[in-house]
Amino acid sequence: MYRTHTCGELRINHVNETVTLSGWVQKIRNLGGMTFIDLRDRYGITQLVFNSETHQELCNQARELGREYVIQIEGNVAERSNKNTKIPTGEIEILVDQFTILNSSELPPFTIEDDTDGGDELRMKYRYLDLRRNMVRKNLELRHRMGFEVRNYLNSQNFIETETPVLIKSTPEGARDFVVPSRMQPGQFYALPQSPQVFKQLLMVAGFDRYFQIVKCFRDEDLRADRQPEFTQIDCEMSFVDQEDILNTFEGLAKHLFKTLRDVEIEGDFPRLSYEDAMKYYGSDKPDVRFGMKFVELSDLVKESGFKIFDEAEYVGGICAEGCAGYTRKQLDKLTDFVKKPQIGATGLIYIKYNTDGTVKSSVDKFFSSEKLLEICGSANAKPGDLVLILAGVRKKTLTALCELRLEMGEQLGLRDKNKFSPLWVVDFPLLEWDEDAQRFFAMHHPFTSPKKEDIHLLDEAPGKVRANAYDLVINGVEIGGGSIRIFNDELQQKMFSVLGFSPEEAEEQFGFLMNAFKYGAPPHGGVAFGFDRWVSLFAGIDSIRDVIAFPKNNAGRDVMIDSPSQVSSEQLEELNLALKLKEAALNK
Amino acid sequence: MYRTHTCGELRINHVNETVTLSGWVQKIRNLGGMTFIDLRDRYGITQLVFNSETHQELCNQARELGREYVIQIEGNVAERSNKNTKIPTGEIEILVDQFTILNSSELPPFTIEDDTDGGDELRMKYRYLDLRRNMVRKNLELRHRMGFEVRNYLNSQNFIETETPVLIKSTPEGARDFVVPSRMQPGQFYALPQSPQVFKQLLMVAGFDRYFQIVKCFRDEDLRADRQPEFTQIDCEMSFVDQEDILNTFEGLAKHLFKTLRDVEIEGDFPRLSYEDAMKYYGSDKPDVRFGMKFVELSDLVKESGFKIFDEAEYVGGICAEGCAGYTRKQLDKLTDFVKKPQIGATGLIYIKYNTDGTVKSSVDKFFSSEKLLEICGSANAKPGDLVLILAGVRKKTLTALCELRLEMGEQLGLRDKNKFSPLWVVDFPLLEWDEDAQRFFAMHHPFTSPKKEDIHLLDEAPGKVRANAYDLVINGVEIGGGSIRIFNDELQQKMFSVLGFSPEEAEEQFGFLMNAFKYGAPPHGGVAFGFDRWVSLFAGIDSIRDVIAFPKNNAGRDVMIDSPSQVSSEQLEELNLALKLKEAALNK
């Protein structure tokens, strides 16, 4: 037996017991006749004491140990004279009688501490050492607990977890598939799923009523900063429901997770905001509503002042930064630089300081009287002491820039507390999105998303105005998940395909097999999918999903620890009936 | 709202309530002025009544409905005069006031009944309809419950469920990998994992202490009857444990599953049988111990009788079939045919009938006296009324054939009850297996399996005799899972590689990255992996794993429902830097 207790288990009531512990050497300190070792395992740290007076030989051996050696000790639990209140085992220590080195360790390439000296690349290469760090392991423990609680909740709500296949069929719509050559079926390929969408809808046709799955999905994209080629979804679908049923069910899930994982009680219903209002007041379909600072449209109010930028703008809008009237020139210049960054793209920033003495000072004093500026401040709900920040330009772009400015101001004012959670549902998304390049409408969600009943009549005359029964769960400005009520009526589905510019033949080729299933009594149904990685990282209070994934890939899609992807043998390719056909650029790489 | 209750929910105490139900039309019966419909959903069946006297129009519409139409009804719960005690809702029926057709259905290609008229291929093609059948859905509900209970138990034992990557690296050892071409890294490939073996060992190096995962694994094999290219494992690993700790922990899991899923209490410890004894007494490393009928070796007893087959045999062994002395000529001929089937491969079957009157009758009367035959019966523990069946030949092959004969007799005697469960651990597997073709030893489990301490000295002189700390869980003759204690000592690992015939360079190339991790304080560890599909099917009392998989593939690895694998576009291949290189045989296919 390697241990009687873990390194996080012993307390004052264990004093005088003889115990056996195993773990890693975290730290060694030699103090006069005593050697102290912090012994670490997943459960905690226990202090070991080697007394050179009573155990000379043992103490000498202990002094030879290195960091991260794996040892087993036997000894007596004693009360510490110098208690450590920071750790649960801090009241006791072990007076060691015997010890064995179970394994030695080379010196790790970085320190196994919360505040490590290892850079990102090194930590990823030695991920198995990085995972020994308390904070990294805690994230993965949280991930485990979250999966467990998701399942507890959904099981209690009669959901059946059903595994759908990983080796499926490539479809031309959407993002790129990863494909898997079939050896048994020469020249043919499986594809890895981007989501189990089709299968979960088939499970509804099959009468499963309530399905869920925590499932790996795959997308062969050019990776952005915080994307992974493989990621995990909480995928759900329900039958005989309308949108309200779904929102209530998953609001229940979210509350359960907040309660069990963060001990946060979310009172009352989650706010619901239409897509239209989200864009109008926050310039984003995933607004951070931990703080107000809603947009105020000023377009009409500021027209015909002779200030060309306002006069020519399609949209003028502002936000009120409370208590910021005292911002310095330098602070304002920095904000101007911020909005002018290429990825934000505003041409400039207009401000009005509403001073505490009731006067106003603005970057457009030339064009507006004090009265007019006060009127603008009034519209923006500014009080004396506040600062009104205004952007102007093309509507869509300006809304987006103002959104970034609002988030930046929220940051500067400390309004984006990671321990505060403000969830909301964004609803009534447009069904279709116009694509300028392709000169056609695309489904904003996917082609099976149901339009709102009251908007169906607009499908012909004004497709862009049709709203969908689609919804997103947004928490703290992060899109945690989204879904929709699906079309389950054949006629409406055909209509949808024709609006999307599919010929009946194309529709048949791409979606025929699902359409065929729908002929046999498909129930009304809808669902939602949550980004598991993203949601864990939100609960963990960290920004990157990589820190909640045990073995993540880097931005080039490489696993630097196992050095993958890699070449395969020519025999393997031969068996798969494949040949490499490298382009010159690749060959020169 | 589509329903106030499900179709399995209403009882006698709901009488007089007005309810709304939604579901599928299972059956329509017209009886005089009444039309009865069985309305079905996942939760059950509720009888609907349409009364033509009070609701003429409604009744006419109901008569137009077809099987599998999806309808919504409103009506009053009434007590049935003619109660059906077979279903939980059998005491009530609904007097329908209103109904809506939510969706129509074409006539399904087979009946949605337990005893369907659909053949295997048709059911797989329309799997979404097959899944509507009660017995198929029940299997998947059981699968869900099993996953849930596995997690409950392991969570309670401090295991952390950790997802390991699906896009990993191809390794030359073992079965064939499925590979995934990388677009971003031209000419390189990921591989899909055959198991998370390496990653779970790395998680032990990382100090995770107790890991598990219910995880999809992949193997590109020529499929046998009951294999799938993608299958699911319950994968587990623990640190600071010896074999005994692991067996106890997972015996606990098995008992928990028996209790919660089948309400079966397994009393006492699971029996443990050495690999040697399993082969000796059952001719198999996965013996079905629901019944006895152990092998008795008769080699010495029957030698030098002049019966050439015995005299020349390396091994002669028998089993005693209780109460079968009365077997007819025809029955015995059938058994002889059975053992002579090519897949069993015995050359013949010798019997001794130990008649109830104390006489013996045998197929080798010529060569043996009655006294000798009685002596053989005695050795085989036969009583009057029993039948002794004997096979002879080369040891290994004869043991295997005798194993098949024993199972067949168990079947004939009704000793293999699907509702009886007899689990056991088979332990002390050989570490190495000699491969005649390659003229070298292979690891029976994998190269990281630890030899037994007391056998290590045999590694040089008699590698074939070294036993491993490896174990299998066997239930009712099915290998449910297996695992081993791993080598965590560098020196022993090098030794193991050299016994396996790896040069240090080859070992480095194939396993270097794991060996490297082991340099940084690897703890003693070991684990186990269970076949999830197999275990569910055992609990479900069915033989095929396909019936516990929602969307299985056929024996050619095809999903006939979605028609996958399939061709991909030349643009896709181009992007992946690949070209097809079909062999002539494939082209002519």
Side-chain angles (χ1 to χ4, degrees):
Chain A
M1 201 187 40
Y2 282 101
R3 63 187 175 197
T4 54
H5 298 78
T6 68
C7 295
E9 205 173 341
L10 296 171
R11 299 287 183 279
I12 193 81
N13 59 307
H14 292 96
V15 165
N16 289 329
E17 282 183 30
T18 300
V19 299
T20 306
L21 299 184
S22 291
W24 285 264
V25 172
Q26 175 80 16
K27 208 184 275 175
I28 308 181
R29 279 157 300 153
N30 296 312
L31 291 177
M34 313 281 257
T35 294
F36 295 93
I37 290 184
D38 282 351
L39 190 68
R40 185 196 73 229
D41 67 10
R42 181 183 126 202
Y43 310 95
I45 282 180
T46 300
Q47 178 163 293
L48 311 179
V49 186
F50 296 78
N51 187 328
S52 73
E53 281 186 22
T54 57
H55 296 80
Q56 176 70 53
E57 181 58 21
L58 213 60
C59 200
N60 289 345
Q61 286 167 14
R63 284 176 184 176
E64 298 294 309
L65 292 170
R67 277 206 284 129
E68 301 305 317
Y69 272 52
V70 186
I71 63 170
Q72 181 184 31
I73 63 98
E74 196 184 298
N76 270 284
V77 184
E79 185 169 359
R80 280 208 219 180
S81 54
N82 199 356
K83 291 184 180 165
N84 178 348
T85 55
K86 285 186 197 148
I87 58 171
T89 61
E91 291 194 277
I92 57 95
E93 59 192 6
I94 315 291
L95 309 177
V96 178
D97 288 322
Q98 285 182 42
F99 91 98
T100 315
I101 297 178
L102 297 173
N103 221 337
S104 61
S105 174
E106 292 191 6
L107 193 69
F110 49 85
T111 55
I112 312 293
E113 305 277 357
D114 282 0
D115 193 15
T116 182
D117 56 357
D120 201 52
E121 208 166 322
L122 201 62
R123 293 196 296 108
M124 286 305 141
K125 180 156 185 214
Y126 295 90
R127 182 64 165 173
Y128 44 87
L129 297 180
D130 194 34
L131 288 170
R132 281 188 194 165
R133 294 166 59 228
N134 210 34
M135 56 183 303
V136 183
R137 201 200 55 248
K138 284 223 170 305
N139 291 338
L140 286 151
E141 287 178 345
L142 176 68
R143 185 182 181 108
H144 160 69
R145 286 211 314 284
M146 178 156 160
F148 191 72
E149 290 301 340
V150 167
R151 289 184 165 104
N152 267 345
Y153 179 82
L154 293 177
N155 181 67
S156 77
Q157 301 291 314
N158 271 327
F159 284 78
I160 307 178
E161 184 161 24
T162 308
E163 292 170 69
T164 53
V166 176
L167 297 172
I168 64 163
K169 189 178 180 170
S170 193
T171 51
E173 278 282 295
R176 268 193 215 89
D177 289 321
F178 282 107
V179 298
V180 181
S182 163
R183 181 179 54 84
M184 307 240 288
Q185 319 269 329
Q188 303 197 345
F189 294 77
Y190 301 99
L192 302 181
Q194 297 182 30
S195 93
Q197 183 66 34
V198 170
F199 290 95
K200 70 176 175 175
Q201 293 196 240
L202 288 175
L203 286 173
M204 295 303 103
V205 176
F208 271 44
D209 206 77
R210 294 180 165 206
Y211 143 93
F212 85 103
Q213 191 181 186
I214 300 184
V215 60
K216 275 277 174 78
C217 299
F218 306 86
R219 214 171 281 167
D220 184 11
E221 288 178 314
D222 300 315
L223 300 171
R224 282 190 262 139
D226 205 25
R227 289 269 182 117
Q228 288 280 317
E230 52 179 299
F231 54 98
T232 305
Q233 278 189 191
I234 306 168
D235 193 50
C236 309
E237 196 82 4
M238 304 170 79
S239 288
F240 300 116
V241 290
D242 51 34
Q243 177 168 315
E244 207 51 34
D245 297 313
I246 293 195
L247 299 195
N248 288 333
T249 301
F250 293 99
E251 205 164 302
L253 170 64
K255 286 181 175 180
H256 176 78
L257 296 178
F258 275 114
K259 180 69 196 143
T260 51
L261 302 176
R262 293 291 314 236
D263 200 21
V264 168
E265 294 270 10
I266 309 267
E267 300 290 337
D269 293 340
F270 290 4
R272 297 184 190 176
L273 192 66
S274 71
Y275 173 86
E276 202 183 339
D277 282 351
M279 295 309 291
K280 184 171 164 190
Y281 294 121
Y282 302 98
S284 166
D285 58 1
K286 39 176 195 269
D288 184 348
V289 295
R290 276 175 295 186
F291 63 106
M293 220 187 275
K294 282 191 197 178
F295 298 0
V296 176
E297 178 158 3
L298 304 168
S299 308
D300 293 341
L301 195 59
V302 300
K303 280 280 153 79
E304 291 168 31
S305 66
F307 180 48
K308 217 171 132 194
I309 290 182
F310 282 176
D311 289 347
E312 291 177 355
E314 184 189 2
Y315 172 86
V316 181
I319 54 174
C320 168
E322 261 183 75
C324 295
Y327 260 39
T328 61
R329 175 87 248 157
K330 203 172 152 194
Q331 283 175 301
L332 289 164
D333 284 350
K334 242 181 127 179
L335 280 181
T336 307
D337 291 346
F338 174 81
V339 299
K340 285 166 94 172
K341 282 198 294 186
Q343 60 269 43
I344 296 181
T347 48
L349 173 69
I350 294 98
Y351 67 83
I352 309 174
K353 290 180 173 183
Y354 192 172
N355 296 314
T356 43
D357 62 7
T359 62
V360 287
K361 172 85 191 79
S362 154
S363 51
V364 287
D365 280 348
K366 268 204 277 201
F367 301 97
F368 296 96
S369 65
S370 290
E371 290 69 34
K372 188 72 184 178
L373 290 174
L374 279 169
E375 194 186 342
I376 297 173
C377 286
S379 285
N381 301 311
K383 308 173 307 298
D386 293 350
L387 173 71
V388 177
L389 297 168
I390 300 171
L391 296 180
V394 177
R395 177 177 293 272
K396 204 175 161 191
K397 214 174 146 185
T398 308
L399 283 167
T400 306
L402 198 52
C403 168
E404 294 296 334
L405 179 62
R406 174 179 172 273
L407 293 176
E408 172 62 22
M409 287 311 299
E411 204 66 67
Q412 290 196 9
L413 296 174
L415 302 171
R416 302 180 73 190
D417 177 0
K418 280 200 158 64
N419 290 310
K420 182 182 171 183
F421 296 100
S422 298
L424 82 157
W425 292 104
V426 177
V427 297
D428 302 349
F429 275 82
L431 182 68
L432 303 160
E433 218 171 9
W434 179 255
D435 186 296
E436 273 301 328
D437 296 336
Q439 283 289 304
R440 74 160 173 103
F441 281 106
F442 277 87
M444 194 150 177
H445 197 63
H446 60 61
F448 303 103
T449 300
S450 167
K452 285 200 177 289
K453 226 177 211 166
E454 60 269 35
D455 289 359
I456 289 181
H457 69 279
L458 295 168
L459 267 175
D460 284 316
E461 52 200 272
K465 289 197 172 155
V466 178
R467 292 166 306 161
N469 281 319
Y471 34 81
D472 277 358
L473 176 62
V474 175
I475 307 178
N476 293 4
V478 178
E479 183 201 322
I480 291 297
S484 67
I485 298 295
R486 326 299 181 187
I487 299 172
F488 69 102
N489 168 294
D490 198 41
E491 210 175 312
L492 183 57
Q493 188 64 62
Q494 299 302 341
K495 177 81 200 164
M496 183 70 181
F497 283 138
S498 102
V499 172
L500 289 171
F502 286 90
S503 71
E505 294 71 31
E506 286 167 335
E508 171 62 28
E509 196 195 314
Q510 290 193 30
F511 303 105
F513 112 85
L514 184 58
M515 298 314 301
N516 201 39
F518 277 17
K519 288 180 190 153
Y520 296 97
H525 62 289
V528 66
F530 300 98
F532 188 54
D533 311 293
R534 183 71 57 209
W535 206 344
V536 183
S537 64
L538 182 96
F539 279 135
I542 50 181
D543 291 323
S544 166
I545 62 170
R546 282 181 26 176
D547 288 329
V548 298
I549 296 173
F551 300 103
K553 294 183 175 55
N554 73 9
N555 285 345
R558 286 202 76 79
D559 183 328
V560 295
M561 181 186 72
I562 61 170
D563 192 25
S564 162
S566 62
Q567 292 180 353
V568 297
S569 69
S570 51
E571 291 77 20
Q572 247 172 312
L573 287 178
E574 187 84 15
E575 270 197 330
L576 296 169
N577 303 285
L578 290 177
L580 290 185
K581 199 177 142 191
L582 294 174
K583 296 171 203 72
E584 206 128 329
L587 286 171
N588 293 339
K589 246 187 177 174
Chain B
M1 201 187 41
Y2 281 102
R3 62 187 176 197
T4 55
H5 298 78
T6 69
C7 295
E9 203 172 344
L10 296 170
R11 299 287 183 277
I12 194 81
N13 60 308
H14 293 96
V15 165
N16 290 328
E17 283 184 29
T18 300
V19 297
T20 305
L21 299 184
S22 290
W24 285 264
V25 172
Q26 173 82 15
K27 208 185 274 176
I28 309 182
R29 279 156 300 153
N30 296 312
L31 291 176
M34 313 282 258
T35 294
F36 295 93
I37 289 183
D38 281 352
L39 191 69
R40 186 198 72 231
D41 68 12
R42 180 183 127 200
Y43 310 95
I45 282 181
T46 300
Q47 177 163 293
L48 311 178
V49 186
F50 296 79
N51 186 329
S52 72
E53 281 185 20
T54 57
H55 296 81
Q56 175 71 53
E57 180 58 22
L58 212 60
C59 200
N60 289 345
Q61 286 167 14
R63 284 175 184 177
E64 299 294 310
L65 291 172
R67 276 204 287 128
E68 301 304 317
Y69 271 53
V70 186
I71 64 172
Q72 180 184 32
I73 62 98
E74 195 184 299
N76 270 284
V77 184
E79 184 170 0
R80 278 208 220 180
S81 53
N82 200 353
K83 290 184 181 163
N84 178 348
T85 55
K86 284 183 199 150
I87 58 172
T89 62
E91 292 195 276
I92 58 94
E93 60 193 5
I94 315 292
L95 309 176
V96 177
D97 288 322
Q98 284 180 40
F99 92 95
T100 316
I101 297 178
L102 296 174
N103 220 337
S104 62
S105 173
E106 292 190 6
L107 192 70
F110 50 83
T111 55
I112 312 294
E113 306 277 356
D114 281 0
D115 193 15
T116 183
D117 56 357
D120 201 52
E121 207 166 322
L122 201 62
R123 292 195 296 107
M124 287 305 141
K125 180 158 184 208
Y126 295 89
R127 182 64 166 173
Y128 44 87
L129 297 179
D130 194 34
L131 288 170
R132 282 188 193 166
R133 293 167 59 227
N134 211 34
M135 56 185 302
V136 183
R137 200 199 58 246
K138 284 221 169 307
N139 291 339
L140 286 151
E141 286 177 347
L142 176 67
R143 185 183 181 105
H144 159 68
R145 285 211 315 282
M146 177 156 160
F148 191 71
E149 291 300 340
V150 167
R151 290 184 164 102
N152 267 344
Y153 179 82
L154 293 177
N155 182 67
S156 78
Q157 301 291 313
N158 270 328
F159 284 78
I160 307 178
E161 184 162 24
T162 307
E163 293 171 67
T164 52
V166 177
L167 297 172
I168 64 163
K169 188 176 179 171
S170 194
T171 50
E173 277 282 293
R176 266 192 217 90
D177 289 322
F178 282 107
V179 298
V180 181
S182 162
R183 180 180 54 84
M184 307 239 288
Q185 319 270 329
Q188 302 197 345
F189 293 78
Y190 302 100
L192 303 181
Q194 296 182 30
S195 93
Q197 183 66 35
V198 170
F199 291 95
K200 70 176 175 176
Q201 292 195 240
L202 287 176
L203 286 172
M204 294 304 102
V205 175
F208 271 44
D209 205 77
R210 296 182 163 204
Y211 143 92
F212 86 103
Q213 190 181 187
I214 300 184
V215 60
K216 275 278 173 78
C217 300
F218 306 86
R219 212 170 283 166
D220 184 13
E221 288 179 313
D222 301 315
L223 300 171
R224 282 190 262 140
D226 205 26
R227 288 270 182 117
Q228 290 278 317
E230 52 179 299
F231 54 98
T232 306
Q233 276 189 195
I234 305 169
D235 192 50
C236 310
E237 195 82 3
M238 303 170 79
S239 288
F240 301 114
V241 290
D242 51 33
Q243 177 168 312
E244 207 51 33
D245 297 312
I246 294 196
L247 299 195
N248 288 333
T249 301
F250 293 99
E251 204 163 304
L253 171 65
K255 285 181 175 178
H256 176 78
L257 295 178
F258 275 114
K259 179 70 194 141
T260 52
L261 302 176
R262 293 290 314 239
D263 200 21
V264 169
E265 295 271 9
I266 309 267
E267 301 291 338
D269 293 340
F270 291 3
R272 295 184 191 176
L273 193 65
S274 71
Y275 173 85
E276 200 184 340
D277 282 349
M279 296 310 289
K280 182 173 166 190
Y281 294 122
Y282 302 98
S284 166
D285 59 1
K286 40 176 195 264
D288 184 348
V289 295
R290 276 175 295 186
F291 62 106
M293 219 187 277
K294 281 191 197 175
F295 299 1
V296 176
E297 179 158 3
L298 304 168
S299 308
D300 293 341
L301 196 60
V302 300
K303 279 279 154 76
E304 292 169 31
S305 66
F307 181 47
K308 216 172 132 195
I309 290 182
F310 282 175
D311 290 346
E312 291 176 356
E314 182 187 2
Y315 172 86
V316 181
I319 54 174
C320 168
E322 260 183 74
C324 295
Y327 259 40
T328 62
R329 175 89 248 156
K330 202 170 151 193
Q331 284 175 300
L332 289 164
D333 284 350
K334 243 179 124 178
L335 280 182
T336 307
D337 291 346
F338 173 82
V339 298
K340 286 166 92 174
K341 281 197 294 187
Q343 61 269 41
I344 296 182
T347 48
L349 174 69
I350 293 99
Y351 68 82
I352 309 174
K353 290 178 172 184
Y354 191 172
N355 297 314
T356 44
D357 62 7
T359 62
V360 287
K361 172 87 193 76
S362 153
S363 51
V364 288
D365 281 346
K366 266 204 278 201
F367 300 97
F368 295 95
S369 65
S370 290
E371 290 68 33
K372 188 72 184 176
L373 291 174
L374 279 169
E375 195 187 342
I376 297 173
C377 286
S379 286
N381 300 311
K383 307 174 307 298
D386 293 350
L387 173 71
V388 176
L389 297 168
I390 300 171
L391 295 180
V394 176
R395 177 178 294 271
K396 203 174 163 192
K397 211 172 149 189
T398 308
L399 284 168
T400 306
L402 199 53
C403 168
E404 293 297 332
L405 178 63
R406 173 179 173 272
L407 293 176
E408 171 62 22
M409 287 313 297
E411 203 65 69
Q412 290 194 12
L413 296 174
L415 301 172
R416 303 180 72 190
D417 178 0
K418 280 199 156 66
N419 291 311
K420 182 181 172 184
F421 296 99
S422 297
L424 83 159
W425 292 105
V426 178
V427 297
D428 301 348
F429 277 82
L431 182 69
L432 302 160
E433 218 170 10
W434 179 257
D435 186 297
E436 273 300 331
D437 295 338
Q439 283 289 306
R440 74 161 171 103
F441 280 107
F442 277 86
M444 195 151 177
H445 198 62
H446 60 61
F448 302 103
T449 300
S450 166
K452 286 198 177 293
K453 227 178 211 164
E454 59 269 34
D455 289 0
I456 289 181
H457 69 279
L458 295 168
L459 267 175
D460 284 315
E461 50 198 275
K465 288 198 174 155
V466 177
R467 292 165 306 159
N469 282 320
Y471 33 79
D472 276 358
L473 176 62
V474 175
I475 308 179
N476 294 3
V478 178
E479 182 201 324
I480 291 297
S484 67
I485 298 293
R486 327 298 181 187
I487 299 172
F488 69 104
N489 170 293
D490 198 41
E491 210 175 311
L492 183 56
Q493 187 66 62
Q494 300 301 340
K495 177 82 201 162
M496 182 72 181
F497 283 138
S498 103
V499 172
L500 289 171
F502 286 89
S503 71
E505 293 72 31
E506 286 167 335
E508 172 62 28
E509 196 195 314
Q510 289 192 31
F511 304 106
F513 111 85
L514 183 58
M515 297 316 299
N516 202 39
F518 276 17
K519 287 180 192 152
Y520 296 96
H525 62 289
V528 66
F530 300 99
F532 189 54
D533 310 295
R534 182 72 58 207
W535 206 345
V536 183
S537 65
L538 182 97
F539 280 135
I542 51 182
D543 292 322
S544 166
I545 63 169
R546 282 179 29 174
D547 288 329
V548 298
I549 296 173
F551 300 102
K553 293 184 176 53
N554 72 11
N555 284 344
R558 286 202 77 78
D559 182 329
V560 295
M561 182 186 73
I562 61 170
D563 192 25
S564 163
S566 62
Q567 292 180 353
V568 297
S569 69
S570 51
E571 290 80 17
Q572 249 171 310
L573 287 177
E574 187 83 16
E575 269 197 333
L576 295 170
N577 304 285
L578 289 177
L580 290 184
K581 198 177 141 192
L582 295 174
K583 295 169 201 75
E584 206 129 328
L587 286 170
N588 293 338
K589 243 185 176 175

